[in-house]
Amino acid sequence: MNLLSVKSLRKQYPSFLLDDISFDLEPGCIMGFIGRNGAGKTTTMKAMLNLIKRDGGSVFVDGMDFFENESECKQKIGFIMGEFNCYMRSKLKTIADVTKRFYKEWDDSAYKGYLEKFSLDENKKIRELSAGMRVKFALALALSHNAKLLILDEPTSGLDPVSRNELLDVLRSLVEDGTRSVLFSTHIISDLEKCADFIGYIKNGKLFDFTDTESFRNKFMLVSGEQEHLESLKTHLISYKENAFGFSGLIKAEDAGLFSDCRTAPADLESIMVYVEQEEEK
């Protein structure tokens, strides 16, 4: 059974339409949610959790209809939206004491374990923590009520490389037992290379692709060649950039045979996203 199923989710704004977002997330997996600013990542997450009113679609968490069983489903979800930057003058233990009242399965021993794991002092105030430590505290809260599904919106934003790597290690360890899953959005595409099992790519309010990370990369190839080849091949390029040496661009892997006179290489996630977003500007 999928831990998360999103079916035909829709949200209409005067100048933006989130339309027909559908995907499934199995237990034991990490899904990276990517797209440029304004593509609809946060809108999707908020609509999934009923933080904004959807205009259509359904969401199932651990087999239950979220909108018919919202309170019960939220007991199974840990949600973090960016850096924890509220209640800045409050101590960690005060925030934890309030938070645990909302969860039936709050586990004090698990919470203490995460404090120790993340080297967090519960007598410190939020404003005394670094950005990385605030994210770790938010994660400790999210994990201490036996959440099966973690939904994280830009959790690594603003973190230094060391703190980001530590957080990714935590996420990978969380799903190892095959009972929990993580959905997280990020602009730091290199993070997904390290940990994401699946990629959901949203573009202009629509799901451009959803597949496992390796298959997503294998759909594309990077190409570079001389200027003289560009004119006859440009219609087969997803997008390209001209430079002093000729051109470089992105192609579908199935079209690689057309570029036998050019240089091709495997595509990384960041390059794919950059070139795909430039497609409209061709």
Side-chain angles (χ1 to χ4, degrees):
M1 180 185 295
N2 294 315
L3 265 184
L4 174 66
S5 292
V6 179
K7 305 296 182 186
S8 303
L9 195 64
R10 187 176 187 274
K11 175 63 182 178
Q12 175 75 64
Y13 287 109
S15 59
F16 178 77
L17 173 62
L18 183 78
D19 193 26
D20 196 24
I21 303 298
S22 301
F23 60 85
D24 297 316
L25 185 58
E26 299 175 355
C29 296
I30 297 176
M31 173 182 163
F33 203 31
I34 63 174
R36 70 187 307 169
N37 285 340
K41 300 186 301 298
T42 299
T43 299
T44 298
M45 291 182 170
K46 287 183 174 180
M48 283 167 45
L49 297 171
N50 208 23
L51 298 177
I52 56 174
K53 184 176 176 60
R54 78 197 191 285
D55 294 312
S58 58
V59 176
F60 291 86
V61 175
D62 203 21
M64 294 188 295
D65 186 315
F66 180 90
F67 300 107
E68 293 182 1
N69 306 275
E70 184 171 346
S71 295
E72 189 173 354
C73 286
K74 284 185 174 178
Q75 294 289 324
K76 299 175 180 287
I77 297 173
F79 178 54
I80 301 175
M81 180 170 286
E83 179 185 337
F84 194 104
N85 55 10
C86 51
Y87 309 113
M88 300 297 285
R89 296 180 180 274
S90 297
K91 292 183 178 180
L92 274 59
K93 64 179 180 181
T94 302
I95 295 172
D97 285 342
V98 172
T99 301
K100 68 182 183 182
R101 299 176 190 175
F102 294 93
Y103 295 103
K104 300 175 183 177
E105 294 190 39
W106 180 270
D107 186 338
D108 269 319
S109 62
Y111 172 67
K112 297 293 185 181
Y114 285 117
L115 290 183
E116 183 176 351
K117 181 181 180 68
F118 299 151
S119 301
L120 291 165
D121 181 352
E122 66 176 347
N123 290 306
K124 281 193 172 183
K125 296 180 179 179
I126 293 296
R127 66 179 182 180
E128 297 176 302
L129 302 181
S130 67
M133 298 304 279
R134 291 178 194 174
V135 172
K136 288 179 180 179
F137 176 60
L139 194 58
L141 293 177
L143 292 171
S144 296
H145 63 270
N146 196 31
K148 287 189 173 184
L149 175 65
L150 290 180
I151 299 177
L152 315 176
D153 191 14
E154 300 287 347
T156 58
S157 179
L159 301 188
D160 62 79
V162 174
S163 295
R164 289 206 331 264
N165 198 60
E166 290 176 347
L167 180 58
L168 296 178
D169 284 342
V170 171
L171 297 183
R172 284 192 292 263
S173 67
L174 287 175
V175 301
E176 282 181 353
D177 65 1
T179 64
R180 290 182 284 199
S181 292
V182 178
L183 166 64
F184 80 103
S185 69
T186 182
H187 287 111
I188 306 172
I189 306 303
S190 59
D191 287 349
L192 302 183
E193 301 274 7
K194 299 175 183 177
C195 71
D197 301 296
F198 292 89
I199 296 292
Y201 183 177
I202 191 168
K203 182 180 179 183
N204 297 329
K206 293 181 179 293
L207 199 62
F208 174 79
D209 205 347
F210 173 70
T211 187
D212 66 272
T213 305
E214 183 176 1
S215 295
F216 181 72
R217 282 195 299 255
N218 290 341
K219 289 181 180 181
F220 305 94
M221 293 191 74
L222 296 174
V223 63
S224 59
E226 308 299 329
Q227 186 69 37
E228 62 192 66
H229 299 129
L230 179 58
E231 194 59 36
S232 62
L233 294 171
K234 66 168 56 177
T235 57
H236 299 286
L237 287 155
I238 293 171
S239 67
Y240 62 88
K241 297 177 182 178
E242 297 185 64
N243 53 56
F245 304 100
F247 73 93
S248 60
L250 185 74
I251 60 173
K252 293 181 179 178
E254 62 191 38
D255 292 334
L258 301 172
F259 292 81
S260 57
D261 293 328
C262 301
R263 297 172 294 279
T264 59
D268 59 273
L269 294 178
E270 185 167 348
S271 296
I272 293 171
M273 182 174 170
V274 168
Y275 279 114
V276 166
E277 292 297 333
Q278 289 177 346
E279 183 179 11
E280 298 176 350
E281 303 170 8
K282 286 175 57 179

